[in-house]
Amino acid sequence: MQQNLLDLDAPALTDYLAGMGEKPFRAKQLLRWIYQTGESDFSAMTDIALALREKLSQCASVSVPEILREECSEDGTRKWLLNVGPGNAVETVYIPEESRGTLCISSQAGCALDCSFCSTGKQGFNRNLSVAEIIGQLWWANHRLGKNDEGNWAISNVVMMGMGEPLLNYANTVSALRLMLDDRSYGLSRRRVTVSTSGIVPAMDRLREECPVALAVSLHAPNDALRDVLVPINQKYPLKELMQACSRYLEHAPRDFITFEYVMLDGVNDSVQHAHELVRLVGDVPCKFNLIPFNPFPNSPYRRSRPDAIARFKEVLMRADIITTTRRTRGDDIAAACGQLAGKVLDKTRRTRALQNDEVGR
Ligand code: SAH
Ligand code: SF4
């Protein structure tokens, strides 16, 4: 069987090559070719000995998942649908901004956690993505978008906020993160790589020890009664434990704050009282809030909060000296906004149309 080199982080690649009798510096050369140059053809890797190039051509490959579809939004957002095996597809979203290019990466096909407002959760859990399928999303996007005038890849920031719960695919997520961070591969700063979690407390502690990167925590409710309903994993890791895990995380984190994500659901979690309760909940955990106006999907039970409710909510947090931003909806004309990723191959056209009809009143 062929070894996909995208499945191997630097130590694993070094071991793999050692098994072929090769020295560690070969791993460094290969990483440079694959990630810094974006090369997938061994025969083009000219500073690698011919015999090794030929051996690799026979027993290894650099393979990203098949791209089933590319969609471009009016605002420049792009979304790719990737084939990850029979009946399974995941989505990757590129969000261009003036001073950075952000890639939103998926970690699982589907998600087991079934948050009540999330389209990915509604499809259930299919499987974990491999390292190659995770890092392959970044490899593909860079390959597709190319380098800028300064010779840097288009993607400067990565957020693990696509489909799935990254911390429930811990080992593969961490290997992929290491490839993003390692100077021999992409060399992204830890501050520019963000893992978003619904609050898997033991895995947050492991990540802090093993591969600290910027952390976003999907909070969505200020008390356990409401969070138990919106984010059912809260029944296992309730808010008190989650807040303590956030404080612990910050002891090692590359950033000195946690980003709390909070989806704004009309009449559910968006009152001024909820905002005051949130301020009490976070207490002295250094944090910023990112309010995400709910993005609807077919048959979703919620409505997006009204702009005046969002403004009042934000005001309460800001008065408590918590920096709060409202996430601008990007790419919703191609169903690429937060929580709209479903990865379904079949009903895309219908879904996009349904969303466009739903634009009225937003
Ligand atoms: N599983 C991880 C990462 C993927 S979800 C997590 O839950 O954090 C990325 C973000 O999108 C999360 O904050 C999630 O709560 C939010 N989200 C999910 N569905 C949404 C929707 N319909 N509208 C707006 N945001 C949503
Ligand atoms: Fe899974 Fe995150 Fe969606 Fe919850 S919000 S179902 S954890 S992907």
Side-chain angles (χ1 to χ4, degrees), residues 48-119:
I48 294 179
L50 190 59
L52 177 58
R53 274 189 264 160
E54 283 173 354
K55 216 182 320 171
L56 288 171
S57 302
Q58 279 163 16
C59 61
S61 67
V62 176
S63 314
V64 297
E66 179 198 5
I67 309 299
L68 295 171
R69 190 201 307 263
E70 175 180 271
E71 289 174 87
C72 297
S73 160
E74 282 169 8
D75 66 14
T77 302
R78 283 189 200 213
K79 182 171 81 169
W80 295 284
L81 182 71
L82 282 71
N83 181 4
V84 289
N88 281 326
V90 295
E91 292 175 322
T92 305
V93 180
Y94 166 62
I95 306 141
E97 284 170 293
E98 215 153 88
S99 56
R100 61 184 174 195
T102 302
L103 194 69
C104 178
I105 288 185
S106 293
S107 55
Q108 298 180 314
C111 181
L113 297 185
D114 200 20
C115 300
S116 57
F117 50 84
C118 174
S119 160

Side-chain angles (χ1 to χ4, degrees), residues 104-105 107-108 111 113 115-121 160-167 195-199 216-220 231 260-265 290 292-297 300 302 304 327 337-341:
C104 178
I105 288 185
S107 55
Q108 298 180 314
C111 181
L113 297 185
C115 300
S116 57
F117 50 84
C118 174
S119 160
T120 305
M160 301 281 308
M161 290 185 187
M163 296 168 66
E165 168 51 57
L167 295 187
V195 165
S196 174
T197 180
S198 54
V217 173
S218 295
L219 210 47
H220 308 318
V231 185
F260 286 124
E261 296 167 277
Y262 196 96
V263 65
M264 298 297 291
L265 305 169
N290 200 331
I292 317 173
F294 171 65
N295 291 309
F297 52 89
S300 54
Y302 301 109
R304 175 179 289 188
R327 189 172 294 171
C338 301
Q340 291 182 321
L341 305 184

Side-chain angles (χ1 to χ4, degrees), residues 11-301:
L13 184 63
T14 310
D15 286 350
Y16 174 73
L17 290 167
M20 296 167 99
E22 296 291 337
K23 298 235 161 58
F25 80 95
R26 292 290 182 207
K28 202 169 163 181
Q29 282 180 313
L30 266 171
L31 288 167
R32 214 170 39 224
W33 276 110
I34 297 170
Y35 298 104
Q36 295 182 8
T37 313
E39 187 56 70
S40 56
D41 177 0
F42 297 118
S43 66
M45 301 182 181
T46 42
D47 59 358
I48 294 179
L50 190 59
L52 177 58
R53 274 189 264 160
E54 283 173 354
K55 216 182 320 171
L56 288 171
S57 302
Q58 279 163 16
C59 61
S61 67
V62 176
S63 314
V64 297
E66 179 198 5
I67 309 299
L68 295 171
R69 190 201 307 263
E70 175 180 271
E71 289 174 87
C72 297
S73 160
E74 282 169 8
D75 66 14
T77 302
R78 283 189 200 213
K79 182 171 81 169
W80 295 284
L81 182 71
L82 282 71
N83 181 4
V84 289
N88 281 326
V90 295
E91 292 175 322
T92 305
V93 180
Y94 166 62
I95 306 141
E97 284 170 293
E98 215 153 88
S99 56
R100 61 184 174 195
T102 302
L103 194 69
C104 178
I105 288 185
S106 293
S107 55
Q108 298 180 314
C111 181
L113 297 185
D114 200 20
C115 300
S116 57
F117 50 84
C118 174
S119 160
T120 305
K122 292 294 137 213
Q123 68 173 267
F125 175 67
N126 298 319
R127 71 169 174 83
N128 280 332
L129 298 190
S130 65
V131 180
E133 288 165 340
I134 300 174
I135 199 69
Q137 297 171 56
L138 179 54
W139 192 95
W140 162 258
N142 276 331
H143 171 82
R144 178 77 182 87
L145 300 165
K147 291 188 175 176
N148 60 22
D149 294 343
E150 286 99 53
N152 298 320
W153 287 122
I155 309 296
S156 59
N157 294 56
V158 170
V159 293
M160 301 281 308
M161 290 185 187
M163 296 168 66
E165 168 51 57
L167 295 187
L168 288 182
N169 182 13
Y170 184 84
N172 291 349
T173 293
V174 166
S175 288
L177 290 175
R178 291 198 171 123
L179 284 166
M180 294 173 202
L181 302 172
D182 199 313
D183 281 338
R184 292 165 289 183
S185 36
Y186 285 120
L188 295 179
S189 134
R190 288 179 189 277
R191 302 156 63 93
R192 288 176 175 265
V193 175
T194 301
V195 165
S196 174
T197 180
S198 54
I200 312 297
V201 166
M204 288 165 66
D205 284 327
R206 261 186 91 182
L207 189 70
R208 166 188 66 135
E209 293 296 329
E210 295 172 2
C211 190
V213 290
L215 190 69
V217 173
S218 295
L219 210 47
H220 308 318
N223 58 59
D224 283 322
L226 183 54
R227 197 166 189 268
D228 280 350
V229 175
L230 298 179
V231 185
I233 193 68
N234 192 70
Q235 295 162 26
K236 192 160 180 193
Y237 305 115
L239 282 168
K240 189 162 174 240
E241 283 180 35
L242 181 57
M243 288 303 135
Q244 288 168 350
C246 288
S247 296
R248 288 195 296 275
Y249 195 87
L250 288 174
E251 290 163 18
H252 290 251
R255 284 195 153 157
D256 52 9
F257 61 90
I258 301 279
T259 302
F260 286 124
E261 296 167 277
Y262 196 96
V263 65
M264 298 297 291
L265 305 169
D266 182 31
V268 175
N269 65 353
D270 64 347
S271 73
V272 165
Q273 287 76 6
H274 288 127
H276 285 295
E277 208 179 344
L278 260 188
V279 171
R280 287 196 295 276
L281 173 75
V282 300
D284 53 10
V285 177
C287 62
K288 292 186 181 173
F289 264 82
N290 200 331
L291 305 180
I292 317 173
F294 171 65
N295 291 309
F297 52 89
N299 303 321
S300 54

